Amino acid sequence: MNPNASLPVIRGVRFLLAHTPGLVQYGSKPARDLAAAASAEATAAGAAGTAKETESALAARLRAHLRGWDAALAYPPHQVLLGNLHPDALAELPRPWFAARPDGSAPAPSRRGPHGEIVPEAEFLAWLKIADAADLVSLAADFVAEVRPALERHPLCTPALLARLGAGLPAAELQARLHAGQPGGSSGALPVLPLALADGRVVGIIRGDHAQDATLAPDVLLENLACKASAALALAGLLADPPAARAGRDTVGYVLNSGEEAVGDRYQRGGGNLAKAVAELCGLSGATGADVKAFCAGPLHALLLAGGLVAAGVFPQVAVIGGCSLAKLGMKYGGHLQHDQPILEDTLAAVAVLVGPDDGRSPRMRLDALGRHTVAAGASPQAILAALVAAPLAGLGLRFADVDKYATELHNPELTEPAGSGDVPALNYRVLAALAARSGELGGELAPAALPAFVARHGMPGFAPTQGHIASALPFLGHALDGLRDGRYRRVMLLAKGSLFLGRMTQLSDGLSILLERNPALSAMPD
């Protein structure tokens, strides 16, 4: 980057959580296991000459371990993401967090916070219909009547958006559409069953749009539509925040989508540009955009591109978005069932970030000190973090301890540990502390006391849903912006890794880091 160019800043971030236990059955892992279990039980029933059960034993167990809205709302990691708790507070809470009970000293959990909001399933299903541009979703008229008042009260639901909800269909017509094709097939429809409706009635369906195109099957379209709706809610919330509103929504000229969906058709399976679809839904009529794909590192690549476009003066403001990954709902559910705990991967997540020119207050992106995992870099955790952290810091003459907080892969360990995947953030922070020690910091030794102290000061517990593009660094961004503005932090580093080998086109990993600094103009202003 040209050292004389103006460094871009991050003006704001907004998160969206959607508690969708009824959609867990459509996550990739649960859907495959449920289909296999139903097939096996049907075969066994046929061999025994008995009637087929309407629900497999696995489906019944899964449904019995879904948690309700109150539990999801009060879950401490969710409150951390929304900004109502700081990540460091999680270290003081006893595990398991899903069993935590308020002690009376903490504020009551809120569905809205300074960094975002969480919406219940019924409302999110209505937002799916609002985001639907191809008449894919049909909702029952009585369900629409039930949920409409909540949408009317929602601060982001304009009259124009509410009109897209429509009146819904009579129950008989909805059932006729449900049975018009083979449920789950390319020409059929998937039922949508909110947990809140204990009677199990079908309140809506989504149809496929081409009988011979697997990329337009209902399950894929549901994933893509959920990604669009959640990203649009996050972006609309961001644009309504005072800092972004002051900057002006009309100055957002470009939107970069970094989600994990693959919007397309049989000829272009990942054709994409969900970015422009979200911009349309959010009323950004003067914006265009494109999608950025790099597995879990996608959002930081998108932030890099956004910062470069702003610094070069191509666009006055760029929005980076990442909608939810419905395919990852219930990804680790087997471990949760094995330990008889609630299925915690029942919540979809989305994010929106606004990047603009230096405004004298917002944290600056040091694009002159990027951490890059190059083709020649090694694949070990030590080699990756050396490239992402040690190299850019050395280029600026900084030590590891000169960064107040490192935000890495912030997967919630309560989601990953029961399935045997371990505590991902803790492992990354231990490797980072070891690198700091070997560099001569911490006394130059891997001292038993020095490493945990470094981790506690510069790291944090994981608290993000296991949707990789979301979990990689971004969950801390709201807290980082707060701390960099109010003086608690001077520097924060965001770092993300990507598993490129999953696509079978290379055996390489990927990674990127971006250093954020407190705006130097604030040093001349009273805090």
Side-chain angles (χ1 to χ4, degrees), residues 311-339:
V314 178
F315 295 104
Q317 289 195 114
V318 176
V320 172
I321 60 174
C324 66
S325 177
L326 190 148
K328 290 185 176 178
L329 278 184
M331 186 167 55
K332 308 288 187 183
Y333 85 95
H336 301 165
L337 292 185
Q338 181 181 353
H339 291 82

Side-chain angles (χ1 to χ4, degrees), residues 446-454:
L446 301 181
L451 298 189
F454 181 92

Side-chain angles (χ1 to χ4, degrees), residues 19 48 58 84 117 146 154 186 191 196 211 214 234 239 248 252 262 277 284 323 330 340 353 373 436 441 469 475:
H19 180 232
L58 177 59
N84 293 323
E117 73 167 314
E146 292 168 9
H154 197 284
S186 297
L239 296 174
V252 178
L284 298 178
D340 196 27
V353 185
H373 186 265
E441 297 186 42
H469 67 298

Side-chain angles (χ1 to χ4, degrees), residues 173-512:
E173 185 174 349
L174 190 71
Q175 286 295 322
R177 290 194 181 188
L178 176 61
H179 297 295
Q182 296 298 316
S186 297
S187 60
L190 286 172
V192 179
L193 303 172
L195 178 68
L197 301 176
D199 56 10
R201 62 190 170 108
V202 174
V203 300
I205 58 173
I206 181 168
R207 64 175 178 84
D209 210 32
H210 195 290
Q212 296 175 322
D213 190 345
T215 58
L216 296 177
D219 56 336
V220 177
L221 290 173
L222 177 60
E223 290 178 9
N224 293 339
L225 192 55
C227 188
K228 177 186 175 182
S230 59
L233 277 169
L235 181 56
L238 173 63
L239 296 174
D241 279 348
R246 285 196 298 269
R249 60 188 295 124
D250 292 340
T251 64
V252 178
Y254 209 68
V255 179
L256 288 167
N257 165 50
S258 61
E260 294 180 317
E261 83 300 325
V263 173
D265 67 1
R266 59 199 178 280
Y267 298 117
Q268 300 180 92
R269 296 182 182 180
N273 214 340
L274 191 65
K276 197 164 187 179
V278 170
E280 175 192 27
L281 188 59
C282 291
L284 298 178
S285 57
T288 184
D291 296 349
V292 176
K293 300 298 179 186
F295 282 91
C296 298
L300 289 201
H301 282 284
L303 281 179
L304 163 62
L305 295 173
L309 289 170
V310 169
V314 178
F315 295 104
Q317 289 195 114
V318 176
V320 172
I321 60 174
C324 66
S325 177
L326 190 148
K328 290 185 176 178
L329 278 184
M331 186 167 55
K332 308 288 187 183
Y333 85 95
H336 301 165
L337 292 185
Q338 181 181 353
H339 291 82
D340 196 27
Q341 70 174 60
I343 294 174
L344 301 175
E345 289 176 313
D346 61 351
T347 307
L348 299 169
V351 64
V353 185
L354 189 63
V355 179
D358 195 342
D359 58 4
R361 292 196 59 86
S362 300
R364 293 166 58 173
M365 301 171 63
R366 291 298 302 267
L367 297 185
D368 55 342
L370 288 171
R372 300 173 299 126
H373 186 265
T374 62
V375 171
S380 70
Q382 293 84 355
I384 293 174
L385 288 182
L388 299 187
V389 180
L393 291 182
L396 293 176
L398 297 175
R399 304 177 307 149
F400 285 82
D402 290 327
V403 175
D404 297 290
K405 285 288 188 181
Y406 292 90
T408 178
E409 298 166 296
L410 293 173
H411 298 290
N412 180 349
E414 290 199 335
L415 277 59
T416 57
E417 286 178 336
S421 300
D423 188 332
V424 177
L427 173 61
N428 284 328
Y429 287 127
R430 285 195 293 267
V431 174
L432 187 60
L435 286 175
R438 291 194 178 99
S439 73
E441 297 186 42
L442 314 185
E445 299 179 0
L446 301 181
L451 298 189
F454 181 92
V455 171
R457 180 173 181 178
H458 299 281
M460 67 197 78
F463 56 91
T466 50
Q467 293 154 64
H469 67 298
I470 296 292
S472 293
L474 291 187
F476 185 64
L477 187 52
H479 297 282
L481 298 184
D482 291 344
L484 290 166
R485 287 190 181 112
D486 65 26
R488 281 175 293 159
Y489 305 140
R490 186 177 178 185
R491 298 182 186 90
V492 171
M493 181 175 279
L494 311 177
L495 53 138
K497 295 184 286 185
S499 302
L500 303 187
F501 50 84
L502 294 174
R504 308 308 197 265
M505 294 294 105
T506 178
Q507 295 302 314
L508 291 176
S509 297
D510 186 31
L512 196 74

